[in-house]
Structure formats: C-alpha cells, structure tokens
Amino acid sequence: MLGAASYFEADGITVEAEESHTWDWGVSVVQGWAAQGIHPSTLIVHLGNNSPVSSGDFDAMMSAAGGAQVYFVTVYAPSLAEHQAEVNGALEAGVARYGNAHLIDWD
C-alpha cells in the first residue's frame, strides 16, 4: 500500500500507510479518525504481515469502521506460508460474518 500511496493521494484518497505496523495499530488509527468525527465511507485495510489476526481483532476493526464498506487485502508472504494461511483464514472468516466487509486477494 505504501508504494501506491502517491497514486491514491493524487486522486484525493487519504492513505495512512507506514511499514511494519500491526493490526492493533490499524484499529487505533480508525478509532482516532472516528474520535475526530472522520467517518470514511470506504476503507481498504492491508495489515497482517507483521502480526497475527484473530476473530476479535477483525471484529475490533469492523467496530471501529462503523458502517463503512471495508475491503481487506489478503497477506502475500510465500516465505511465511503458515502465517499467511492463518491471517488469510481469519480475514476470510471475518468477511463472511459482515455484509459490509469484502476480500481482495493479493495473490
């Protein structure tokens, strides 16, 4: 996401992207926006490379997102196949529980 930030920003899209952040960091960013009265209608979440993702983590992100349409990008880390499978499995299961959650397959 960081590599594409300038393209998104050129189209007026806000990008909060930095290297090596965890899922809970992302939740706190979205919660911070809400506390400031910022409620995006659409979010793209690309986290999970640097930390596990549980069902509760997914739910926390969806709660923070409010009614936004949330697009989760799967993890692509072939050298970490077990981690990739665990995170992507959590994303797939989470998306199945929410009508406003969607999955984008990185692979």
Side-chain angles (χ1 to χ4, degrees):
M1 191 64 71
L2 185 58
S6 63
Y7 296 102
F8 289 119
E9 290 168 341
D11 286 333
I13 298 170
T14 301
V15 176
E16 184 70 43
E18 297 178 28
E19 288 185 32
S20 302
H21 281 291
T22 60
W23 192 272
D24 59 341
W25 172 85
V27 171
S28 69
V29 167
V30 178
Q31 289 171 333
W33 290 341
Q36 296 173 48
I38 301 168
H39 303 283
S41 60
T42 304
L43 295 171
I44 299 172
V45 177
H46 187 205
L47 293 166
N49 283 342
N50 298 306
S51 62
V53 178
S54 70
S55 176
D57 294 331
F58 191 95
D59 293 342
M61 182 64 76
M62 292 304 295
S63 176
Q69 295 296 310
V70 186
Y71 293 83
F72 293 91
V73 181
T74 60
V75 171
Y76 181 71
S79 63
L80 302 170
E82 185 176 330
H83 175 74
Q84 175 181 309
E86 289 173 5
V87 170
N88 289 346
L91 296 179
E92 290 168 7
V95 164
R97 294 194 316 271
Y98 290 87
N100 60 323
H102 314 276
L103 196 64
I104 300 172
D105 190 359
W106 180 267
D107 188 20

